[in-house]
């Protein structure tokens, strides 16, 4: 074999470099497009595996290299996003939840073109996704999927005790009393977590109340509707629940029903999915029904997710290509949704009766749902102020104060003062 | 081997330029700053810059990723209107005061025990350090599991031993219990630092002083109050100083155990600052929360260090 001496090496590399400089075209490797995508650890782990698989196919089909990173959604996610924005460096795409597109509005690329294409194909994005990602007339993130809050209950216990499946929050109080007597209390967290808000919001709306008005300017929490809602919580806490709900985390109500304690919880279908995957004895007895109504109708909430592209990304077009590949190709989007086992549901109108809902009869309650769902803080338009009201857990804290001894009037006055301070700030 | 004088070449005339530069560099006025500069740069970069940025943020309406404006002390003043902040302020003092008091008393007790002739002394001393060695977030997760309302090991044990009535206290769901829980974990976590540092102080006390006190008829109590404690004062002052600062700024324990709940009854400056500054993007307000006690802590540091200096013999 011919030896590769220093002189030959210099001649080859020098010649090559001169050639590149002369043509003024970077070498192929330098032209390879590469994007990075930061998303959360999905509650349905198979969904993350599928995403990685789709990512590999995307690279093969388009030549765009994709790196997918995951981060836990409670805590590290927001710190990571804040750090990326402050340093103007990091990932190209990020998965967003709640009102993130509003918080990071000036930092996000306008993706109205991509959403327009998706809506043309799949119908309008659902209300909750619109509320979360459509910021001041511009789509700042692309609606990806959502997870609905429905009622998860122990159908076997209900049948055993001859209990009627509730349709209203008042019905729940009636069956809740019986469930507690049976040693299977209702599990609604009243603590500093998002599940607490996900129930408190719909209950408040169903009683005709709101935190802030639809203009986002006036605090409306101190109202007769709120008092009614608090009274409902007070009697639920006393007669249907255990004091442990005051310290629950987002996972506690799931764990409670999976372990066989709770008889009814308000949650997306993740409790059932996990029970089924882990082959827990409670899995067979669990079923779902739609979220409950109050004197002012049925109002529900969910957890919409979106994909945003940072403005500091050097690969905006390649990033859009990835979104189009994942969400815009029906067969790929279906494949992705199916992997989430009905936890991640399509967030476009024409896809509401998705095949994933027919994979298990216990997803029947989800069919046709989602259209009327809202994000936290509704009817106020999302903003950093509404986000702070949410993040400081004023709604569940107001309820927690009331159920632990503070008068309804004082609890409402406390929440009103805190909310007014935030709106004024 | 001896060197004869005529073998040494003595340079004649003015030294060369290189030699002059070498000579200039060797001078203390130049060499000193050259050696100190890297350390100074590191301090400026890693300590001064973030601190100045934090002060700037605290005095601005900074919001993540948006232009900010100077607002002076407005954030600090506005915070006081919030019941949540006032509650946090109170929590910080209760949490720090009780935790540090427990750590002092238990730390001295543990150090005295470790100073005795024990079997497996080295192993025990090593084991005492464990809570301090394990990452806080990880060990606190263990405590969270022990206090968990659904499967509390603490309650299970208490009930099994007949110390509690079923179902036992709702540790993380009632405000006084929740504060007790976070204080317990903080004391558990900080105790090794106290015990080992105080032990180092104890070891350095000359045995002769105890022998002299014993000869004068002093009992164990008198020896502790009149020999051990006075000589431990400088060490204690430093340990208490450090611990006070660390405890005031604690984050992990509360964040993992209670996230500031129930009803903000365990929020500390760091956890509230995180909620406002990071989760909501209001960096200015968040920075103001985290720096709120800075002037007070500066005073505490100054007073404590002054005290320590006075104690040096």
């Amino acid at each position: 074999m011919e030896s590769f001496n220093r002189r030959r090496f210099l001649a080859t590399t020098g010649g090559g470099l001169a050639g590149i400089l002369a043509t003024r075209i970077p070498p192929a490797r330098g032209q390879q497009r590469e994007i990075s995508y930061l998303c959360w650890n999905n509650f349905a782990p198979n969904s993350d595996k599928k995403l990685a698989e789709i990512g590999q196919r995307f690279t093969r089909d388009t030549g765009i290299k994709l790196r997918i990173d995951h981060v836990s959604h409670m805590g590290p996610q927001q710190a990571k996003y804040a750090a990326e924005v402050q340093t103007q460096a990091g990932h190209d795409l990020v998965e967003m939840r709640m009102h993130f597109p509003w918080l990071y509005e000036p930092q996000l690329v306008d993706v109205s073109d991509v959403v327009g294409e998706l809506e043309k194909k799949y119908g309008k994005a659902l209300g909750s996704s619109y509320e979360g990602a459509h910021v001041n007339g511009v789509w700042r993130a692309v609606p990806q999927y959502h997870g609905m809050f429905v009622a998860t209950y122990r159908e076997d216990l209900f049948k055993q005790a001859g209990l009627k499946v509730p349709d209203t929050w008042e019905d729940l109080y009636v069956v809740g009393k019986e469930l507690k007597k049976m040693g299977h209390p209702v599990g609604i967290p009243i603590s500093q977590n998002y599940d607490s808000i996900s129930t408190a919001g719909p209950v408040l709306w169903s009683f005709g109340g709101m935190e802030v008005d639809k203009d986002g300017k006036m605090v409306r929490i101190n109202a007769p509707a709120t008092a009614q809602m608090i009274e409902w919580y007070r009697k639920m806490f006393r007669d249907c629940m255990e004091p442990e709900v005051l310290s629950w985390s987002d996972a506690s109500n799931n764990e409670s029903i999976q372990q066989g304690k709770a008889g009814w919880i308000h949650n997306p279908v993740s409790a059932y999915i996990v029970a089924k995957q882990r082959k827990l004895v409670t899995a067979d007895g669990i079923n779902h029904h739609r979220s409950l109504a109050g004197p002012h109708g049925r109002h529900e909430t969910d957890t919409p997710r979106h994909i945003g592209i940072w403005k500091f990304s050097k690969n905006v077009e390649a990033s859009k290509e990835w979104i189009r590949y994942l969400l815009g190709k029906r067969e790929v989007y279906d494949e992705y949704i199916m992997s989430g086992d009905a936890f991640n549901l399509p967030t476009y109108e024409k896809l509401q009766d998705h095949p994933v809902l027919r994979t298990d009869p216990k997803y029947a309650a989800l069919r046709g749902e989602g259209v009327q769902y809202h994000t936290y803080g509704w009817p106020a338009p999302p903003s950093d102020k509404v986000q702070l009201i949410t993040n400081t857990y004023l709604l569940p804290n107001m309820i927690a104060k009331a159920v632990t001894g503070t008068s309804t009037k004082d609890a409402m006055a406390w929440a009103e003062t805190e909310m007014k301070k935030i709106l004024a700030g | 081997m001896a060197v004869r004088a005529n073998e040494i070449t003595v340079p004649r005339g003015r030294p060369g330029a290189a030699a002059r530069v070498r000579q200039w560099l060797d001078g203390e006025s130049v060499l000193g700053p050259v050696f100190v500069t890297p350390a100074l740069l590191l301090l400026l970069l890693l300590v001064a810059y973030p601190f100045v940025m934090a002060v700037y943020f605290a005095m601005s309406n900074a919001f993540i990723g948006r232009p900010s404006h100077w607002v002076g002390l407005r954030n600090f003043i506005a915070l006081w209107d919030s019941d949540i902040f006032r509650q946090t302020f109170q929590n910080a003092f209760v949490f720090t005061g009780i935790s540090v008091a427990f750590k002092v008393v238990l730390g001295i007790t543990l150090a005295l025990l470790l100073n005795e002739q024990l079997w497996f002394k080295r192993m025990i001393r090593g084991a005492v350090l464990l809570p301090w060695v394990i990452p806080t977030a990880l060990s606190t997760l263990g405590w969270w599991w022990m206090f968990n309302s659904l499967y509390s090991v603490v309650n299970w044990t208490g009930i099994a031993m007949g110390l509690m009535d079923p179902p036992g206290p709702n540790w993380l769901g009632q405000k006084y219990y929740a504060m007790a829980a976070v204080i317990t974990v903080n004391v558990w976590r900080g105790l090794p630092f106290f015990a080992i540092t105080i032990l180092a102080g104890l070891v350095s006390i000359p045995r002769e002083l105890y022998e002299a006190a014993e000869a004068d008829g002093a009992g164990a109590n008198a020896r502790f109050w009149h020999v051990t404690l006075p000589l431990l004062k400088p060490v204690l002052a430093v340990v208490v100083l450090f611990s006070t600062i660390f405890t005031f700024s604690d984050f992990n324990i509360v964040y993992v155990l209670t996230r500031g709940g129930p009803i903000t009854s365990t929020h500390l400056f760091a956890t509230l600052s995180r909620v406002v500054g990071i989760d909501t993007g209001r960096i200015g307000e968040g920075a103001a929360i985290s720096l709120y006690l800075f002037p007070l802590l500066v005073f505490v540091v100054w007073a404590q260090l002054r005290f320590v200096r006075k104690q040096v013999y």
Side-chain angles (χ1 to χ4, degrees), chain A residues 75 78-79 82 85-86 102-103 106-107 192 243-244 246-248 255 259 384 388 391 394 397 414 418 421, chain B residues 63-66 78 82-84 149-151 170 172-173 255 259-261 263-264 274-275 278-280 282-283:
Chain A
Q78 272 151 302
V85 164
Q86 283 303 103
W102 287 79
L103 283 185
Q107 300 295 329
Q192 304 212 88
E244 64 191 28
L246 295 169
S247 63
W248 273 8
E255 288 164 357
Q259 289 167 8
D384 63 298
L388 186 54
N391 287 340
L394 293 182
N397 279 342
W414 172 83
E418 292 299 316
K421 191 210 154 264
Chain B
F63 192 98
I64 289 175
R66 295 180 198 180
S82 162
D83 181 58
I84 294 175
S149 62
L150 292 174
Y151 28 71
N170 181 12
L172 305 177
Y255 197 71
R259 286 184 174 263
I263 327 173
T264 67
R274 148 96 206 198
V275 166
I278 303 293
D279 295 352
T280 315
R282 297 155 77 110
I283 308 180

Side-chain angles (χ1 to χ4, degrees), chain A residues 209-221 377-383 386 389 419 423:
Chain A
M210 64 184 82
E211 293 156 278
V212 176
D213 66 4
K214 64 180 172 50
D215 297 329
K217 293 198 172 106
M218 294 290 287
V219 173
R220 299 281 185 206
I221 195 72
W378 182 84
S383 67
V386 172
I389 288 173
M419 288 180 188
L423 283 199

Side-chain angles (χ1 to χ4, degrees), chain B residues 115-197:
Chain B
N115 200 29
E116 293 299 314
Q117 292 303 321
L118 299 169
W119 286 355
F120 309 113
K121 196 161 145 183
R122 283 184 189 169
M123 210 173 78
I124 294 171
R125 282 184 183 180
V128 164
L129 276 176
L130 274 179
W132 210 51
V133 174
I134 309 168
T136 318
L138 198 66
S139 55
T140 311
L141 266 179
W143 281 99
W144 175 78
W145 175 68
M146 288 197 275
F147 286 128
N148 192 291
S149 62
L150 292 174
Y151 28 71
S152 167
V153 177
V154 175
N155 287 10
W156 186 87
T157 312
I159 293 163
M161 291 171 74
L163 300 171
M164 295 173 190
D165 292 326
N170 181 12
W171 288 105
L172 305 177
Q174 281 168 291
K175 59 181 183 179
Y176 296 120
Y177 285 132
M179 184 53 94
V182 291
I183 288 174
T184 303
V185 180
N186 183 275
V187 171
W188 171 83
R189 162 99 184 135
L191 194 55
F193 174 66
F194 272 76
I196 296 296
T197 318

Side-chain angles (χ1 to χ4, degrees), chain A residues 329-388:
Chain A
K329 289 173 179 263
R330 177 67 198 262
E331 67 280 10
V332 179
Y333 192 31
D334 276 353
E335 198 185 334
Y336 178 53
I337 292 295
M338 293 300 272
S339 69
D341 204 8
F343 179 75
N344 312 330
L345 294 165
T347 188
Y348 296 91
E349 277 177 3
K350 287 185 195 165
L351 303 180
Q352 285 314 286
D353 190 21
H354 196 269
V356 74
L357 298 177
R358 285 187 285 279
T359 56
D360 189 319
K362 289 182 176 175
Y363 300 145
L366 297 166
R367 277 190 218 157
E369 289 290 301
V371 180
Q372 75 284 16
Y373 279 56
H374 299 292
T375 50
Y376 302 146
W378 182 84
S383 67
D384 63 298
K385 289 171 181 172
V386 172
Q387 182 86 49
L388 186 54

Side-chain angles (χ1 to χ4, degrees), chain A residues 147-291:
Chain A
M148 288 181 258
F149 267 76
V150 288
T152 301
Y153 72 111
R154 286 282 303 278
E155 191 177 26
D156 53 342
L157 295 176
F158 271 60
K159 280 184 181 161
Q160 186 190 314
L163 298 174
K164 193 179 147 225
V165 174
D167 185 52
T168 65
W169 297 109
E170 281 307 323
D171 291 347
L172 179 64
Y173 174 68
V174 176
V175 295
K177 277 201 291 190
E178 296 305 315
L179 284 171
K180 189 174 177 181
K181 280 184 207 155
M182 291 162 67
H184 297 285
V186 168
I188 297 173
I190 310 176
S191 49
Q192 304 212 88
N193 66 30
Y194 291 110
D195 276 4
S196 298
I197 306 169
S198 298
T199 307
V203 178
L204 179 67
W205 303 330
S206 304
F207 277 91
M210 64 184 82
E211 293 156 278
V212 176
D213 66 4
K214 64 180 172 50
D215 297 329
K217 293 198 172 106
M218 294 290 287
V219 173
R220 299 281 185 206
I221 195 72
N222 199 344
T226 313
Q228 284 175 31
M229 172 255 212
I230 288 177
E231 288 313 316
W232 179 84
Y233 259 103
R234 204 191 289 280
K235 66 185 186 187
M236 284 298 294
F237 182 77
R238 187 186 62 223
D239 300 334
C240 312
M241 306 206 278
E242 298 281 357
E244 64 191 28
V245 298
L246 295 169
S247 63
W248 273 8
S249 70
D250 277 329
S252 301
N253 55 355
N254 291 22
E255 288 164 357
S256 185
I257 202 162
Q258 287 159 1
Q259 289 167 8
K261 188 171 183 184
W264 190 100
I265 65 166
H266 193 235
N267 206 65
V269 291
S270 52
Y272 170 64
I273 292 172
V274 172
K276 193 168 68 166
Q277 280 172 354
R278 294 187 187 160
K279 298 186 170 52
L280 302 180
V281 286
T282 47
D284 287 343
I286 292 176
N287 206 344
H288 309 97
H289 62 81
R290 70 184 305 195
S291 192

